[in-house]
Amino acid sequence: MYLLEGCIDEVKDADAVLITSGGSVPQLIGDPDYLSRLRLSPNRQIIGAMCSGALILAALGLLTGKEATTYPTRRQLLSEYDVTVVDKDFVPHERIATAAGCLAAQNLCEWMIASLLGRDMAPKVLRTIQPVGKGL
């Protein structure tokens, strides 16, 4: 396992992938070349998306027929992809999960750590990044 922050063509080799939001997401989901280069494998990888990053998973067909969440301003667009959009901060499905907004990133990280390293490891790791006075 390794941390990867690099070219889109390298995503296929990662054990875990987090897709975040950004102003370019609406353009990316309409770009077949970009989507074809983003080769994700939910049978092998742990895949999470936060905010409008869920739109990328939906455009790839990874959320078809599933419940998912996203940032409130992107819910309508997400629902156009045969996805049941729910009003929750975090929605996991085995090896794929979505988080509604930046403040739900902790839920997404906890799920990813537990998926990769085990449930007992997640609180240990998250404890190291908690704000002062907040504990797990």
Side-chain angles (χ1 to χ4, degrees):
M1 180 169 49
Y2 57 92
L3 176 64
L4 174 69
E5 185 177 352
C7 178
I8 187 173
D9 298 312
E10 297 172 308
V11 169
K12 67 182 181 343
D13 298 321
D15 295 314
V17 178
L18 285 174
I19 298 175
T20 60
S21 62
S24 62
V25 170
Q27 292 79 25
L28 294 175
I29 61 175
D31 182 345
D33 180 54
Y34 171 81
L35 294 174
S36 70
R37 292 174 60 202
L38 189 57
R39 294 182 300 200
L40 299 175
S41 176
N43 295 326
R44 187 184 61 75
Q45 297 172 308
I46 303 297
I47 303 167
M50 183 174 63
C51 300
S52 61
L55 293 167
I56 293 175
L57 296 185
L60 291 169
L62 297 177
L63 298 178
T64 301
K66 293 180 170 54
E67 287 188 349
T69 190
T70 189
Y71 197 73
T73 60
R74 298 295 189 204
R75 287 182 181 163
Q76 178 59 43
L77 187 53
L78 184 59
S79 70
E80 296 172 14
Y81 283 94
D82 190 24
V83 175
T84 301
V85 182
V86 294
D87 189 23
K88 295 181 180 177
D89 61 336
F90 178 70
V91 179
H93 292 284
E94 296 180 18
R95 301 179 69 84
I96 298 175
T98 54
C102 296
L103 293 179
Q106 182 172 324
N107 303 85
L108 190 58
C109 290
E110 180 178 13
W111 167 80
M112 186 165 278
I113 293 164
S115 296
L116 292 168
L117 304 174
R119 289 205 157 282
D120 60 327
M121 188 57 78
K124 292 176 186 176
V125 173
L126 291 177
R127 199 172 4 253
T128 67
I129 61 168
Q130 289 295 309
V132 174
K134 303 283 185 185
L136 293 178

